[in-house]
Amino acid sequence: MEEGTPLTENPLPDVVNVSLEVPVIGTETTDRLPQYVHDAIDKVAPEEGFTPGQYKVHFESGSSKGDGFVGEMFRARITEVARELIVLCKIPPRNEARRQQFGAMTIFERESTAYSKFLPAMHEFQRERGVTDELGIGFFHTPKCYFAMCDEAKQESLIIMNDLRLSGYRMWNKLVPVNYEHVRLMMIALGKLHALSFAMKDQRPDIFEEFKVKDGLVEMMNNFEPFQQMMNFNMDRATSVLEPHEEKLRQKMDRLKTDMLSDLNKLTDAATAEPYAVLGHGDCWVNNMMFAYEKGVPKDIVLLDWQICRYVSPTLDLLYFLFCCTDEQFRRQYYDEMIRTYYASLKELLGKLGGDATRQFPYTALLRQLRQFGRFGVMMAAFIVPLLCIENADLPDLDEQAERFKETQEMDMSEFQTKGNSEEKYRQRMGGVLRDAIRYGYL
């Protein structure tokens, strides 16, 4: 692969400006929020120095259509005299059909555990070894969490975190393939995240044992028919971009679809990745990360949405992000460099935490696992790339979709179809994924 030149000296401000999503504060929604959200705010406010009975709370919408399948976001503005604290509240879909359709409570339980147990333990482990947030070398790329709980019996879950937009963080525009500097930051962050797993697995096995959680995405695929229907439809759609002369690749895609469920179970089974399995993020697409900037250049990244964090091969996070969020042109120029960037980051932090990458995760093992698990990137791209080619305004109402599925047991996938320019973007992006999978020996 041909190496490219970093964009640090030429951050391409025009591209950055075009590609940033800046959400707008929405309308008041207090009349529709569950009581447990109000109760949690009343718990958090005094802990943050507000006087009980003296502060006011105003709720506003905190996310846009298309931001996610299985969660709703609200902004809570807590005010008292001259003080103000603005936080984001994340809850499962209030529509029961939608909540049941995608198994929302299962993944909210996982994310609540991540924020209340996994991430605090990882942060504390680093600090014990002298790696603090201020040094800028550890993995602290997470939002501040004020409150996290999940009660599956009551169908209630809530995560309260800081609103990073107030500190200048922005989302990348999902319709634009992610560029060099942003991908580089993501590779560095994933290297740190996985390094932490290797260090804790080796040095604190008692604590890390709790981190060995199964993959929630495959559980949803196995247990919830809508996911299976969506994946089958999207695999067929991905195959449809192939040219008539690509018959061998078409046959590979047909086999991939036929074996999809059993294959996903194998690919996300930690035993197949040992001794190199880690706690991965699990949902590495552009809507689940935010960037901070300095003079138009991205300088920091925060990873959001830990609902599918799982104990698997570290390559699953890499494959998910690189195949879904970059395009063929980028991968041809920078793929090998990004893999090396990831590994250098992992090696550096693991060494500072008292580990040894050459023993715990050799570079040759990383390359082997990329080939062993590579087809996972194709399957995730089949699911995610269509969403990256459709304007949010053109996406269907998920509550209405869920209600119709409850009656018919059939997903109406026509509402997720790309049209016109979106269809051409999709064919280019998905075709690039399939060509690259063959080029790297992943299919």
Side-chain angles (χ1 to χ4, degrees):
M1 288 289 172
E2 180 183 353
E3 281 197 19
T5 303
L7 303 179
T8 304
E9 296 180 0
N10 178 17
L12 299 180
D14 291 341
V15 175
V16 171
N17 289 339
V18 167
S19 301
L20 291 180
E21 293 255 337
V22 185
V24 177
I25 291 178
T27 56
E28 187 173 1
T29 53
T30 48
D31 58 324
R32 301 195 303 273
L33 285 178
Q35 182 59 42
Y36 69 85
V37 175
H38 297 270
D39 295 341
I41 291 293
D42 286 339
K43 181 178 186 299
V44 168
E47 293 174 352
E48 296 302 313
F50 289 87
T51 308
Q54 300 299 311
Y55 60 86
K56 295 180 179 180
V57 183
H58 177 78
F59 289 95
E60 303 162 338
S61 63
S63 60
S64 304
K65 182 182 180 183
D67 284 349
F69 276 92
V70 285
E72 296 184 23
M73 297 283 287
F74 302 94
R75 183 182 286 106
R77 189 184 299 270
I78 309 170
T79 57
E80 178 185 353
V81 192
R83 298 190 56 212
E84 181 176 75
L85 174 65
I86 300 175
V87 295
L88 290 179
C89 304
K90 182 178 182 179
I91 63 173
R94 288 165 292 167
N95 178 277
E96 183 179 357
R98 182 174 157 202
R99 196 167 60 245
Q100 298 299 329
Q101 182 183 40
F102 293 108
M105 297 313 301
T106 298
I107 58 177
F108 262 86
E109 190 281 328
R110 177 64 53 83
E111 186 167 32
S112 296
T113 301
Y115 278 115
S116 63
K117 184 178 294 184
F118 298 158
L119 295 174
M122 295 169 88
H123 294 165
E124 181 60 27
F125 175 82
Q126 292 176 102
R127 294 187 182 105
E128 288 173 356
R129 278 146 185 78
V131 176
T132 63
D133 194 3
E134 292 73 23
L135 294 176
I137 57 176
F139 181 79
F140 296 95
H141 303 284
T142 60
K144 177 178 180 179
C145 182
Y146 296 92
F147 181 90
M149 75 84 173
C150 183
D151 188 329
E152 293 191 64
K154 292 183 178 179
Q155 296 283 289
E156 296 177 355
S157 186
L158 172 63
I159 296 166
I160 301 177
M161 65 195 90
N162 63 325
D163 188 346
L164 290 161
R165 287 166 288 196
L166 301 177
S167 302
Y169 285 80
R170 297 289 182 261
M171 280 186 179
W172 182 264
N173 182 350
K174 69 168 190 172
L175 299 173
V176 180
V178 184
N179 70 13
Y180 181 95
E181 288 293 350
H182 295 78
V183 177
R184 180 176 171 275
L185 277 183
M186 182 61 169
M187 292 298 100
I188 292 171
L190 289 178
K192 293 177 183 179
L193 172 64
H194 298 163
L196 255 178
S197 277
F198 284 117
M200 294 184 71
K201 189 176 178 180
D202 189 46
Q203 300 172 38
R204 296 299 303 270
D206 52 332
I207 294 177
F208 193 77
E209 193 64 30
E210 294 185 75
F211 289 33
K212 297 180 179 181
V213 289
K214 292 184 178 180
D215 183 276
L217 176 63
V218 172
E219 182 178 346
M220 289 187 286
M221 285 283 294
N222 287 328
N223 298 325
F224 296 95
E225 179 67 21
F227 268 107
Q228 295 180 28
Q229 291 187 21
M230 291 177 75
M231 282 300 291
N232 284 330
F233 176 86
N234 284 324
M235 289 294 284
D236 286 338
R237 222 176 138 201
T239 304
S240 74
V241 308
L242 296 174
E243 300 294 337
H245 68 273
E246 298 177 295
E247 183 57 32
K248 284 189 177 180
L249 181 49
R250 187 184 313 278
Q251 292 174 8
K252 288 178 181 288
M253 287 297 292
D254 288 342
R255 285 196 297 272
L256 194 63
K257 178 191 171 186
T258 300
D259 301 333
M260 183 171 52
L261 274 179
S262 61
D263 216 11
L264 277 171
N265 277 290
K266 292 174 186 175
L267 292 170
T268 57
D269 182 355
T272 64
E274 293 292 17
Y276 306 122
V278 299
L279 182 72
H281 177 273
D283 202 4
C284 299
W285 73 301
V286 290
N287 276 21
N288 290 338
M289 59 200 70
M290 298 183 79
F291 298 92
Y293 295 83
E294 186 177 305
K295 296 181 179 179
V297 179
K299 292 298 182 183
D300 190 29
I301 183 173
V302 170
L303 303 187
L304 311 169
D305 199 338
W306 293 80
Q307 293 182 328
I308 312 179
C309 65
R310 67 277 176 92
Y311 184 63
V312 291
S313 167
T315 62
L316 298 194
D317 279 345
L318 301 176
L319 293 161
Y320 191 144
F321 179 75
L322 289 171
F323 275 86
C324 292
C325 302
T326 68
D327 61 9
E328 184 178 15
Q329 181 181 356
F330 179 92
R331 290 188 295 270
R332 287 196 176 195
Q333 194 169 4
Y334 300 118
Y335 188 83
D336 286 356
E337 181 185 345
M338 290 301 105
I339 298 300
R340 291 194 296 270
T341 297
Y342 159 80
Y343 190 76
S345 174
L346 182 149
K347 185 176 182 180
E348 180 183 18
L349 181 57
L350 186 52
K352 292 184 182 301
L353 294 173
D356 178 6
T358 58
R359 170 178 64 86
Q360 294 174 263
F361 191 38
Y363 190 68
T364 52
L366 167 60
L367 297 181
R368 282 197 305 271
Q369 290 212 352
L370 282 168
R371 290 179 66 91
Q372 179 183 355
F373 296 92
R375 59 195 184 281
F376 179 83
V378 176
M379 287 187 271
M380 291 300 98
F383 185 76
I384 294 294
V385 168
L387 300 176
L388 298 177
C389 297
I390 306 175
E391 295 276 0
N392 282 350
D394 295 330
L395 287 169
D397 185 298
L398 294 177
D399 288 350
E400 292 179 4
Q401 276 262 350
E403 292 292 348
R404 286 199 300 271
F405 179 84
K406 185 177 179 181
E407 295 177 4
T408 66
Q409 294 302 296
E410 292 289 338
M411 287 287 292
D412 182 4
M413 296 306 300
S414 66
E415 297 192 24
F416 290 93
Q417 285 278 36
T418 50
K419 301 176 182 68
N421 291 337
S422 294
E423 175 63 13
E424 182 56 31
K425 286 182 182 178
Y426 169 75
R427 296 186 69 84
Q428 289 180 2
R429 292 282 293 269
M430 198 67 229
V433 166
L434 301 185
R435 288 187 290 270
D436 284 346
I438 290 293
R439 181 177 299 113
Y440 304 138
Y442 295 168
L443 279 179

